[in-house]
Amino acid sequence: MNFDVLTLFPGMLEGPLNESILKRGREKGLLNVTVRNIRDYTEDKHKTADDSPYGGGAGMVLKPEPIFKAFETLKAERPGEEFLTILLSPQGRLFHQRRAEELSGEKRRIVLLCGHYEAVDERVIDSLVDEELSIGDYVLTGGELAALVVIDAVTRLLPGVLGDEESAYRDSFGDGLLDHPHYTRPAEFRGMQVPDVLLSGNHAEIEKWRRREALKATLEKRPELLETADLADEDRKILEELKRIG
Ligand code: 4FV
């Protein structure tokens, strides 16, 4: 999986890319992330990458020239390679697990363009951007954290990145539901017991309990997810019962 990140603040990505699972993914050669500073593609002595908005108003806008130059350099360095260009912005489609799964199968290089200041010049979006993605309905200081969210959510789905102890075998949202509760030792802590079924060793009963708890959590916290979740008839029966007992 290849990500090329274009940003004015490369330092914001260093930490997460050099820790834990992302670091290991890069060491295993399963993940390749290049981080380029848009300012390196400016041509004036002040390395100007932003300017005031036409039509007035507060804030600054990222200039088109350095971003176009960065793109053309990237493409020239990788002749024949295909690119999928994503702008991280609040105007984008909401990023979710299904999109992470789709991107984890992506063969093209993924360019993540990180906005900053008020916005990016619209001509960049019209000419270079294939997709706008938002990580949520709030405003960040820049797209860097959003780019890291996308890299993290996609990378952990790549075969071989997660070790057994971290497997994504049954992720939250994996089947569109929230996750069931998890417990570990000690079986009793300050009077709080681990549910007996989890100590029973009866895997069929444990799976039933986990499914019921996942349905209950989703019904209580994110009922709208039930509209798109992959539900079996048995699940619908449990949901009816849960609604009845309230
Ligand atoms: C954002 C989001 C986000 C907007 C102005 C960067 C900022 C500044 N990106 N999901 N929410 N971006 O707030 O992706 O340019």
Side-chain angles (χ1 to χ4, degrees):
M1 172 61 65
N2 294 292
F3 288 102
D4 298 296
V5 182
L6 296 183
T7 169
L8 281 174
F9 300 96
M12 285 184 72
L13 291 105
E14 293 319 321
L17 290 177
N18 297 302
E19 289 291 338
S20 180
I21 291 162
L22 297 185
K23 180 181 178 209
R24 200 171 57 223
R26 300 172 83 187
E27 287 165 348
K28 285 183 175 178
L30 298 167
L31 169 69
N32 174 35
V33 182
T34 71
V35 180
R36 295 154 193 266
N37 190 333
I38 293 168
R39 213 173 285 285
D40 296 345
Y41 301 90
T42 58
E43 278 148 7
D44 66 310
K45 69 178 179 315
H46 303 297
K47 294 184 165 299
T48 309
D50 61 298
D51 202 340
S52 50
Y54 275 119
M60 300 295 273
V61 175
L62 283 185
K63 291 170 62 60
E65 306 96 320
I67 298 174
F68 273 74
K69 188 109 185 310
F71 263 88
E72 280 137 18
T73 307
L74 196 52
K75 295 199 171 170
E77 287 166 2
R78 301 186 181 281
E81 291 219 41
E82 293 292 307
F83 293 82
L84 168 66
T85 302
I86 297 175
L87 169 65
L88 292 306
S89 108
Q91 279 70 46
R93 200 162 49 113
L94 195 57
F95 182 55
H96 49 60
Q97 189 65 15
R98 282 233 197 295
R99 189 68 187 119
E101 286 156 7
E102 291 160 1
L103 289 173
S104 69
E106 186 58 56
K107 294 292 165 265
R108 294 172 286 180
R109 299 187 69 87
I110 300 179
V111 178
L112 297 176
L113 176 56
C114 303
H116 218 84
Y117 310 114
E118 203 54 32
V120 176
D121 186 286
E122 194 67 18
R123 292 163 288 188
V124 169
I125 298 171
D126 298 342
S127 314
L128 302 177
V129 170
D130 301 307
E131 176 180 356
E132 287 187 70
L133 271 184
S134 171
I135 62 166
D137 297 340
Y138 38 78
V139 181
L140 304 169
T141 61
E144 289 75 15
L145 297 178
L148 285 166
V149 165
V150 171
I151 292 171
D152 187 283
V154 170
T155 300
R156 62 184 294 284
L157 297 171
L158 300 174
V161 166
L162 289 185
D164 292 347
E165 76 284 356
E166 301 139 334
S167 72
Y169 88 98
R170 194 200 163 298
D171 259 342
S172 297
F173 310 108
D175 49 13
L177 296 177
L178 296 187
D179 210 355
H180 53 73
H182 295 264
Y183 296 84
T184 187
R185 280 180 284 277
E188 189 271 338
F189 175 68
R190 298 187 182 180
M192 295 177 280
Q193 304 289 342
V194 170
D196 292 340
V197 63
L198 297 180
L199 309 174
S200 69
N202 179 333
H203 293 293
E205 281 308 311
I206 290 168
E207 266 325 297
K208 270 174 60 180
W209 179 87
R210 285 177 168 168
R211 187 70 178 176
R212 181 185 177 83
E213 291 297 316
L215 290 164
K216 194 161 78 170
T218 309
L219 182 62
E220 281 161 11
K221 301 175 191 167
R222 299 284 307 280
E224 79 281 1
L225 291 175
L226 295 170
E227 275 129 48
T228 51
D230 333 342
L231 299 178
D233 294 349
E234 180 53 29
D235 297 326
R236 297 182 198 294
K237 265 207 245 74
I238 292 168
L239 285 167
E240 286 323 305
E241 186 209 329
L242 287 169
K243 287 173 189 163
R244 235 191 351 273
I245 58 181

